[in-house]
Amino acid sequence: MLELEKRLSWVYLINLVFYVAPFFYINYSLVQYVWMTLALVAFIGCYYWIYRSPPSRMLWPILLMAFIASAITPLNYGSISMFAYVSFFIGFAYNFRQFLAGVAGLICILVLLDHFFVKGAPYFLLYGSALVMAIGVFGVLDRTRRASLLKEQRSAEEIKQLATIVERERIARDLHDIMGHSLSGIVLKADLADKLLQQQQYQAASQQLQELAFIARESLSQVRQTVSGYKHKGLAGEVQALSGKLREAGFGVDVQGEIPSLSAREETAVVLILTELVTNVLKHSNGDEVRIRFSENEQGYQLMVSDNGKVAELHQGHGLTGIQERLAALNSSLEWQVSPCSFSFILHKEA
């Protein structure tokens, strides 16, 4: 989603100096000062409202900013700078046709204000129209730039995912080749040792068992070397993949919250834990809805997996034991309840 850069939002307020300047060289009454100050505060409030909103929800603050600028123009012609902000946000939030319509509407407002209210400022309409069109174009360009950056980011993520898939396929092929060859050798040695034992050729059988143990140790070493470079496709990618498996099995899936950025060690552990929890749902749940929720609090990052299946009691098997062992290594623990069935844990933040 396109967003405005909130970090520098306060910097751009400097353009309101053209609105504030008349405060110092025009003699206004106290009431007029109060009204102009209230208008300025309300305008800045709308400005930050827009910065907190996605483009689809910018319409109301934009309209309110345009209304404030129009209402205060009879007192302060520096409101031209306010119209420039409105034009920029229209260019950022809407497509080019909508931008042109919005700018045309603003210029019509300037024409009416110039005709009925502006006195002693012959260049109000000229400057205002030029500023609205120019600053609006900057909004359009900024939207285009951010859309391009977002597209590049997505492309980079897709390339990364494809590279991960290729790596996983390579590992799968290597494991297939290694294990196929090794297991064939182990079966052959085991059968031969069994026959030698039946024939009471104990020395020969012992030799075959020693070779079998060597093959097993060598296979274990090769497997470790193969998978040592294994890289999962990230927590977000795994959540998407597991959600797909649940949906294929007939479950409705609701993923809530923002997926946290974790260290490589924590992310790998969370991926394996989440995989085990989803596997338990696929095997044992009699429900049809699954919720995966990520949240953050003062303690750390929390993950909860729950479903609407009915469970009378929960028996702890190897899967839950393995999860607890992984969490213990991260100074965390697994909590669960059976009605509704849910599992949760917290990864504590570093002090």
Side-chain angles (χ1 to χ4, degrees):
M1 178 183 294
L2 291 176
E3 290 186 353
L4 289 162
E5 191 173 352
K6 302 178 181 63
R7 184 172 57 89
L8 296 175
S9 59
W10 64 272
V11 175
Y12 305 118
L13 287 173
I14 194 172
N15 293 314
L16 287 174
V17 67
F18 297 104
Y19 176 82
V20 176
F23 282 47
F24 301 99
Y25 63 82
I26 296 180
N27 293 323
Y28 292 107
S29 67
L30 178 60
V31 174
Q32 290 174 328
Y33 276 118
V34 170
W35 277 113
M36 289 189 297
T37 302
L38 290 176
L40 179 62
V41 172
F43 186 87
I44 293 175
C46 292
Y47 174 85
Y48 280 105
W49 180 8
I50 286 180
Y51 264 89
R52 292 192 300 267
S53 304
S56 59
R57 297 182 181 179
M58 288 183 179
L59 176 61
W60 285 111
I62 288 175
L63 291 177
L64 189 54
M65 290 175 78
F67 172 78
I68 293 171
S70 301
I72 205 64
T73 295
L75 288 178
N76 188 339
Y77 302 155
S79 61
I80 289 177
S81 61
M82 292 183 170
F83 284 104
Y85 284 96
V86 175
S87 178
F88 176 87
F89 290 133
I90 291 175
F92 181 86
Y94 299 101
N95 61 43
F96 192 68
R97 288 186 178 180
Q98 292 170 325
F99 162 71
L100 292 178
V103 169
L106 290 178
I107 292 176
C108 287
I109 293 174
L110 292 175
V111 169
L112 293 175
L113 290 172
D114 182 71
H115 180 73
F116 291 104
F117 298 105
V118 175
K119 299 178 181 179
Y123 300 108
F124 174 86
L125 179 59
L126 177 62
Y127 288 157
S129 300
L131 197 61
V132 161
M133 289 188 290
I135 300 301
V137 170
F138 281 114
V140 174
L141 294 176
D142 196 43
R143 176 184 177 86
T144 303
R145 181 180 65 85
R146 293 178 189 273
S148 178
L149 290 175
L150 185 61
K151 184 177 180 180
E152 291 177 2
Q153 181 181 1
R154 288 176 177 172
S155 298
E157 290 176 354
E158 290 174 359
I159 291 172
K160 185 177 179 180
Q161 295 247 347
L162 289 174
T164 302
I165 292 172
V166 171
E167 179 68 6
R168 287 164 63 93
E169 291 176 349
R170 180 195 67 79
I171 293 173
R173 288 194 301 269
D174 291 348
L175 287 176
H176 179 271
D177 294 341
I178 293 170
M179 296 307 296
H181 173 74
S182 300
L183 290 175
S184 297
I186 290 172
V187 170
L188 179 62
K189 293 293 182 181
D191 289 343
L192 183 56
D194 182 58
K195 291 178 181 179
L196 291 172
L197 287 172
Q198 291 177 9
Q199 297 172 6
Q200 297 183 351
Q201 298 182 27
Y202 299 117
Q203 185 174 358
S206 176
Q207 177 66 29
Q208 294 300 319
L209 290 173
Q210 290 177 8
E211 293 179 4
L212 186 152
F214 174 79
I215 294 174
R217 285 194 295 270
E218 186 69 18
S219 300
L220 179 60
S221 176
Q222 291 178 336
V223 169
R224 285 174 175 169
Q225 291 175 9
T226 301
V227 302
S228 62
Y230 170 73
K231 297 180 181 179
H232 54 74
K233 53 187 176 183
L235 183 53
E238 293 294 342
V239 169
Q240 184 178 6
L242 291 171
S243 299
K245 290 182 180 180
L246 287 167
R247 293 188 178 99
E248 289 174 1
F251 289 87
V253 182
D254 182 19
V255 179
Q256 300 178 351
E258 183 177 356
I259 297 176
S261 298
L262 304 173
S263 65
R265 175 170 170 264
E266 290 177 332
E267 189 174 63
T268 298
V270 172
V271 166
L272 294 173
I273 292 168
L274 183 58
T275 301
E276 179 62 32
L277 292 176
V278 169
T279 300
N280 285 341
V281 171
L282 292 171
K283 287 183 177 179
H284 306 299
S285 177
N286 56 11
D288 58 1
E289 293 286 338
V290 177
R291 183 173 65 176
I292 301 173
R293 188 180 71 184
F294 296 90
S295 59
E296 181 180 1
N297 54 36
E298 294 179 356
Q299 292 179 298
Y301 302 103
Q302 183 179 39
L303 169 63
M304 175 180 288
V305 178
S306 60
D307 67 271
N308 62 347
K310 296 181 179 179
V311 180
E313 58 180 336
L314 187 65
H315 300 284
Q316 182 171 335
H318 295 295
L320 291 181
T321 300
I323 290 175
Q324 289 179 321
E325 291 174 352
R326 293 186 187 280
L327 287 174
L330 299 175
N331 193 28
S332 184
S333 60
L334 183 68
E335 299 179 356
W336 65 79
Q337 61 183 36
V338 296
S339 182
C341 186
S342 67
F343 299 85
S344 66
F345 62 87
I346 294 177
L347 293 180
H348 298 283
K349 296 178 180 179
E350 295 181 1

